[in-house]
Amino acid sequence: MSAVLPLDSAQMPASPNWLQRFSAMDRAQRMRLAVGAVLLVGVLIAAVLYGRQADYRVLFANLNDKDGGAIVAQLAQMNVPYKYSEGGGAIMIPGDRVHDVRLRLATQGLPKGSVAGFEVMENNRFGMTQFQERLNFQRGLEGELTRSIQALSSVQSARVHLALPNQNGFFREQQKPSASVLIGLYPGRVLDRAQLAGIVHLVASSVPELAPSAVSVLDDTGKLLSNAPDAAQSGAFDAQQLQYVQQIEQQYTRRIMEILEPIMGRSNVRAQVTADVDFSQTESTSEQFRPNQTPETTTIRSQQVSEAGGTSAATTATTGAGAVANQPPGPSAAPINGANPAPTVGGQQTTESGTRRRESTTNYEVDKTVRVTRAGSGTIKRLSAAVVVNHQSTQERGKTVTKPLSAEQLERMTALVRESIGFNQERGDSVNLMNAPFQVESVPVEQTPVWRQPETLDLARSLAWPVGLFLFGSLVLLGLVRPALRNLASTAPATARGKLDALEAEAPQRPALPPPTRNAAPAQPTEEQLRLEDARVLTRENPVAVANIIKSWVNGDAA
């Protein structure tokens, strides 16, 4: 131990650099350090790429395969990243480029859609026949009508078929065009009668000489929505009548609910109204004749008068001789109205006698009243209303108590219901109002766990990558990189300290000494123990110097 001497600072070698420390590490430590550094760099790159990832938004949705393929090919040419949504129903691109890409695709006519309109007329080829021109015109007209029908909010898809016959020079042999429309509706939506009539008249007005009765409208289930031409004659049930009855019943039910809910509460009234509607159409004609009673009220339509008469002459001789001459003259034959006397001819008086005939025919107007009565369709024959109200709830001593309504309250409510629906006893209307407790069914509410709620799942999906990268980077940093760097920083001192500990552990073999007695004085340390203690102190205070000394011993250099 005489060689263990303190060294000056000038004689102490310089501390090893990082390269020397890395070379002093064993193979396993080097591999751990390299793998940790590579993984840490990979985590940093992934974090940077995730932070720079754009938010994807929908560019187009519900595209057919042809338009989808054309748009994807165009996006690849434009170097625009894209991806598909779940199920492939939409094409998504970065949100900051959605509007720009849509405008650029619109300039190229994308998406074209499955329906082609009059743009098919723009691709006419040289040498096209008249039949091909007519066919393209028909296809273009069908496409334009399809686009117009699809513009309705309830229509998801539509298809129009037109039958346009050739017109020849013979007017009597010309055929009328016809059309068929197939409509697909969105789930939960229906077309009312006004919308169906609008579709029919839209198609009929777009095709020359096409009558609305020649347009058939069907839905995607094959049901005929438009009325057949002979529906009224065949007595078929009209859906419009059922809809009219439902509207009347709903209107009266809403009236009852609106007048009773403010009294009993929103969920304490139930009402149903049944309407008996008469859709039969009747027409009656009556004629009434009134005779002519007085001359003032008579009216002569025509009058005809005819007269006929004849005359005969008789001569009487007046002489002075004889008995006849002594007779007094007879009465005058002159007419009463002062007509001229009968002429005398040669001393004779001529008398005129005859017959006259007069006929008069008069036709009078007879009063005639013609009355035509046509009964209206859709008149209400009878109304029946059924109303149920809940028991009245009151608070007594902090508890909710229900009790039935009094007879007076029920009578008042019944009167309100009758007034609201226009009760008519002669028509046979009936109103039945009953008071009964409502059965409240307790529906068990399923408590969805927090980890199954949609908000939690969306938050977990959004935080999965950042949190995963952070945890993985922390694991690599703390588990591989940090221990390797710590070993790299303490490679040389740890080696020297290990050799000194090994040297100190080599205790010499000495014979066993008897244990000291209890009353004996403590033994003084020997010279060897003092040197050993000095070596230990030197090792603690200056381990580098001690390591250099041991290194010189190992290499065989002089002390």
Side-chain angles (χ1 to χ4, degrees):
M1 298 300 294
S2 60
V4 181
L5 299 175
L7 299 177
D8 298 336
S9 60
Q11 297 176 353
M12 294 177 62
S15 59
N17 54 15
W18 289 100
L19 184 59
Q20 294 177 355
R21 294 180 181 181
F22 181 77
S23 60
M25 297 173 62
D26 56 358
R27 184 176 181 181
Q29 293 177 348
R30 295 177 182 177
M31 291 296 296
R32 285 197 297 270
L33 180 60
V35 171
V38 171
L39 292 179
L40 185 59
V41 172
V43 169
L44 294 176
I45 294 175
V48 171
L49 293 179
Y50 181 80
R52 297 181 58 184
Q53 186 178 6
D55 183 17
Y56 279 78
R57 296 183 181 180
V58 177
L59 178 64
F60 293 109
N62 299 326
L63 295 174
N64 53 21
D65 297 337
K66 184 177 181 180
D67 286 342
I71 291 176
V72 168
Q74 193 64 30
L75 291 177
Q77 294 181 2
M78 297 166 58
N79 295 326
V80 177
Y82 63 89
K83 63 180 182 179
Y84 302 100
S85 63
E86 296 182 2
I91 300 177
M92 306 178 67
I93 63 173
D96 56 346
R97 305 187 62 181
V98 170
H99 301 289
D100 182 30
V101 172
R102 282 181 182 175
L103 294 176
R104 295 176 63 181
L105 292 177
T107 58
Q108 301 178 7
L110 294 176
K112 295 182 179 179
S114 58
V115 180
F118 281 126
E119 58 267 15
V120 298
M121 304 293 295
E122 300 176 358
N123 301 324
N124 292 335
R125 299 185 304 272
F126 181 75
M128 181 178 294
T129 61
Q130 184 179 4
F131 173 76
Q132 292 177 343
E133 290 181 355
R134 292 184 62 258
L135 183 60
N136 287 342
F137 173 76
Q138 181 175 346
R139 289 178 55 196
L141 184 57
E142 291 175 352
E144 295 296 333
L145 289 174
T146 301
R147 290 177 180 177
S148 301
I149 296 174
Q150 287 181 351
L152 299 177
S153 59
S154 301
V155 179
Q156 183 179 12
S157 61
R159 194 169 183 180
V160 179
H161 300 278
L162 298 178
L164 304 178
N166 288 329
Q167 303 298 337
N168 50 25
F170 299 96
F171 182 76
R172 295 181 179 179
E173 297 179 0
Q174 290 182 358
Q175 299 179 359
K176 299 295 182 180
S178 59
S180 300
V181 182
L182 180 63
I183 295 178
L185 303 177
Y186 285 103
R189 299 186 182 181
V190 294
L191 290 176
D192 56 11
R193 307 301 300 179
Q195 291 175 329
L196 287 175
I199 294 175
V200 170
H201 285 276
L202 172 66
V203 177
S205 302
S206 302
V207 180
E209 298 182 2
L210 176 60
S213 59
V215 180
S216 302
V217 182
L218 293 83
D219 60 359
D220 50 2
T221 60
K223 182 175 65 176
L224 181 64
L225 301 180
S226 59
N227 293 330
D230 56 346
Q233 300 177 2
S234 61
F237 186 78
D238 190 3
Q240 187 176 2
Q241 297 179 359
L242 178 60
Q243 184 179 3
Y244 177 72
V245 174
Q246 291 178 353
Q247 289 178 357
I248 292 178
E249 294 176 350
Q250 292 174 3
Q251 180 181 2
Y252 284 114
T253 303
R254 186 168 58 252
R255 289 181 181 180
I256 297 174
M257 298 295 290
E258 289 177 355
I259 200 171
L260 292 183
E261 281 183 350
I263 302 174
M264 299 300 301
R266 187 173 184 82
S267 59
N268 294 326
V269 180
R270 297 291 184 272
Q272 290 292 333
V273 177
T274 303
D276 187 4
V277 183
D278 185 12
F279 291 101
S280 60
Q281 296 181 357
T282 59
E283 184 177 352
S284 61
T285 304
S286 63
E287 294 185 1
Q288 296 180 358
F289 296 91
R290 187 176 62 179
N292 297 314
Q293 300 294 337
T294 60
E296 292 80 5
T297 60
T298 59
T299 303
I300 298 176
R301 181 173 58 183
S302 62
Q303 186 177 12
Q304 182 179 3
V305 178
S306 61
E307 295 182 359
T311 60
S312 61
T315 304
T316 303
T318 58
T319 60
V324 179
N326 297 326
Q327 294 294 331
S332 177
I336 299 175
N337 54 2
N340 295 327
T344 58
V345 179
Q348 296 182 357
Q349 184 180 5
T350 303
T351 60
E352 220 175 295
S353 64
T355 60
R356 293 180 179 274
R357 183 178 180 181
R358 182 176 181 179
E359 294 181 357
S360 177
T361 303
T362 304
N363 295 324
Y364 296 94
E365 290 287 355
V366 180
D367 290 347
K368 177 181 179 182
T369 302
V370 179
R371 182 175 299 163
V372 179
T373 304
R374 179 177 298 173
S377 177
T379 57
I380 299 177
K381 298 173 59 178
R382 186 174 181 271
L383 285 178
S384 300
V387 184
V388 181
V389 294
N390 194 9
H391 281 183
Q392 189 176 7
S393 300
T394 58
Q395 294 291 334
E396 296 183 1
R397 297 180 181 179
K399 296 182 180 179
T400 304
V401 180
T402 60
K403 60 181 180 180
L405 300 177
S406 62
E408 184 180 358
Q409 291 176 337
L410 292 177
E411 184 64 26
R412 292 178 180 176
M413 290 185 181
T414 304
L416 289 176
V417 173
R418 289 178 179 176
E419 294 296 333
S420 63
I421 66 173
F423 181 81
N424 189 354
Q425 188 175 2
E426 297 179 357
R427 193 172 54 186
D429 296 349
S430 63
V431 174
N432 187 4
L433 190 144
M434 185 180 67
N435 180 220
F438 287 4
Q439 298 294 333
V440 180
E441 297 181 0
S442 58
V443 180
V445 180
E446 297 182 359
Q447 296 292 340
T448 305
V450 179
W451 57 276
R452 283 188 177 182
Q453 295 180 358
E455 296 81 4
T456 306
L457 295 178
D458 294 340
L459 182 61
R461 292 191 189 98
S462 60
L463 297 179
W465 269 99
V467 174
L469 291 176
F470 176 76
L471 294 178
F472 185 73
S474 301
L475 181 62
V476 171
L477 181 62
L478 298 178
L480 295 177
V481 178
R482 184 178 179 183
L485 293 177
R486 185 176 296 177
N487 294 333
L488 181 62
S490 59
T491 300
T495 305
R497 188 178 299 109
K499 292 182 179 180
L500 288 178
D501 293 340
L503 181 61
E504 292 179 359
E506 294 179 359
Q509 297 293 332
R510 296 183 177 85
L513 298 177
T517 58
R518 179 176 302 177
N519 297 328
Q524 296 293 331
T526 61
E527 184 178 0
E528 184 178 358
Q529 291 179 353
L530 293 175
R531 291 181 179 177
L532 184 58
E533 184 66 25
D534 293 339
R536 290 176 178 174
V537 172
L538 179 61
T539 302
R540 296 190 189 98
E541 293 178 354
N542 196 352
V544 178
V546 175
N548 292 333
I549 294 173
I550 295 175
K551 184 177 180 181
S552 63
W553 287 354
V554 174
N555 294 332
D557 298 336

